[in-house]
């Protein structure tokens, strides 16, 4: 297989090249390369074959109608280039700044051996190997854990271990050396040399360029001035879209769902840092104050007690709902990094957990309200379901938009608050 490195000046569009917005899809629904794509592939390699400096690997591929030249590229001018490849062809893609939920324990990641990480011995000696978190920030909350460079190595090793059992994948890496100290460069280079034996790798970098150019089968340089043309090895003026078609060769990683994903979800989301315990603690505090304030309320004060209970319930549940947008974004990026097998399953599980939390809060509200009143005016199933559906009408839209759309945080808050505005 091959390794391709893309390099270029800042702003030249290296990442966008890997993910192009309007490029022809390389595979039909049946999984075969389209005729126009195959033609473009043959065209670019035939046009480059005259350059004696171009290193091309000829590989007979049963999935293609004809033999394909598979290049290994290093890209310069880069991130935009990578984004274009990702949009036009399904692949395994690690972004320059890839997010994971910071409260994940590294040891809890399913089917992953963290002892292969070059820095893991440190945590074993410190007896933190079972408790160390991925670390980072989500919804404005920072959680201590791995450093930025260690997270980058974690993602890289995760991809290496996940893809070891499959062949002929397209793996796209955006700045894999960013934030990584020189001590760990040999580790990454060694892993790249192993991965290139089975997969096609498209790598974008500004770091250790000479080392990677020596390794690479092909080097692609993207200009910050003219993004319509690229330079491949010594060949100038190659059409950018044609180069994209030629480079984006390989299959998508095939995930296999199993009960490990369910266990992983529960272990992470029900951990002390997953947010559920924070909601529980605040519920005890806020409803405790409610009891102290409205205890032994007489008949006639039911509207005040009911409205106050609804406000307490809303502000108890709301923080958990607010972080759903960030959670969805992180979840999508985790799926790209092959951390788990199903984005939709995890989103459905998160929605179910969110609704369960809301039902528990509403049940607590109902019980506390009736405990405070000296009369049973608000007792009965009709009032319980009234309280429940009142809270659902305010928050369920936020949950649905936050988890199942691509809306930004601001848009989710605006449109999610519409039921409240309509009620007023």
């Amino acid at each position: 297989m091959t390794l391709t490195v893309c390099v270029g000046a800042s702003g030249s569009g290296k990442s966008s090249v890997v993910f192009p917005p309007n490029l022809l899809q390389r595979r039909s629904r049946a999984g075969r390369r389209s005729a126009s794509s195959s033609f473009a592939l043959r065209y670019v390699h035939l046009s480059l074959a005259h350059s004696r400096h171009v290193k091309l690997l000829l590989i007979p591929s049963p999935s293609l109608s004809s033999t394909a030249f598979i290049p290994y590229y290093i890209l310069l001018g880069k991130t935009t280039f990578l984004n274009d490849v990702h949009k036009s062809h399904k692949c395994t893609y690690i972004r320059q700044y890839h997010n994971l939920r910071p409260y994940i324990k590294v040891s809890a990641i399913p089917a992953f051996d963290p002892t292969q990480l070059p820095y893991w011995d440190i945590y074993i000696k410190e007896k933190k190997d079972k408790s160390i978190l991925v670390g980072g920030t989500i919804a404005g909350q920072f959680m201590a854990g791995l450093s930025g460079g260690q997270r980058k190595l974690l993602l890289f090793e995760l991809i290496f271990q996940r893809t070891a059992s499959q062949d002929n994948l397209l793996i796209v890496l955006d700045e894999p050396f960013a934030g990584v100290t020189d001590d760990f460069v040999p580790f990454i280079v060694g892993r790249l040399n192993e991965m290139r034996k089975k997969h096609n790798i498209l790598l974008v970098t500004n770091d250790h360029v000479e080392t990677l150019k020596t390794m690479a089968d092909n080097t692609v340089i993207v200009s910050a001035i003219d993004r319509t043309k690229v330079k491949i090895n010594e060949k100038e003026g190659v059409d950018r879209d044609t180069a994209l078609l030629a480079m984006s060769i390989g299959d998508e990683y095939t995930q296999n769902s199993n009960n490990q994903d369910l266990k992983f979800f529960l272990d992470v989301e029900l951990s002390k840092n997953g947010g559920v315990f924070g909601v529980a603690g605040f519920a005890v505090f806020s409803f405790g104050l409610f009891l102290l304030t409205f205890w032994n309320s007489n008949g006639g004060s039911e509207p005040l007690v009911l409205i106050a209970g609804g406000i307490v319930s809303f502000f108890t549940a709301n923080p958990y709902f607010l972080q759903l947008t960030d959670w969805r974004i992180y979840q999508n990026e985790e799926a790209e990094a092959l951390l788990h097998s199903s984005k939709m399953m995890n989103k459905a599980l998160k929605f179910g957990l969110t609704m369960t939390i809301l039902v528990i809060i509403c049940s607590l509200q109902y019980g506390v309200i009736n405990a405070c009143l000296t009369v049973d005016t608000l007792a009965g199933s009709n009032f319980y379901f009234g309280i429940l559906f009142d809270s659902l009408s305010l928050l369920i839209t936020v949950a649905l938009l936050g988890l199942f759309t691509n809306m930004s945080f601001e848009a989710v808050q605006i449109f999610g608050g519409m039921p409240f505005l309509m009620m007023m």
Side-chain angles (χ1 to χ4, degrees), residues 49-92:
H50 299 292
S51 173
R52 59 184 177 180
H53 300 290
V54 177
K55 302 176 185 177
L56 296 176
L57 183 62
L58 183 61
I59 299 177
S61 175
S63 64
L64 303 181
S65 58
S66 60
T67 299
F69 290 98
I70 311 293
Y72 177 78
Y73 297 89
I74 294 181
L75 298 173
L76 308 177
K78 313 171 291 287
T79 302
T80 305
F81 196 90
L82 288 180
N83 287 331
D84 287 354
V85 170
H86 184 259
K87 290 177 182 177
S88 63
H89 189 85
K90 291 183 177 181
C91 60
T92 301

Side-chain angles (χ1 to χ4, degrees), residues 197-208:
K197 296 175 183 177
K198 301 177 67 176
H199 309 299
N200 298 310
I201 304 172
L202 180 58
L203 185 152
V204 157
T205 188
N206 269 330
D207 303 307
H208 307 285

Side-chain angles (χ1 to χ4, degrees), residues 278-293 312 316 364:
V279 173
F282 185 68
V284 171
F285 171 76
S286 58
F287 280 109
L289 290 180
F290 182 89
L291 283 169
L292 292 174
T293 304
V312 171
T316 300
L364 183 60

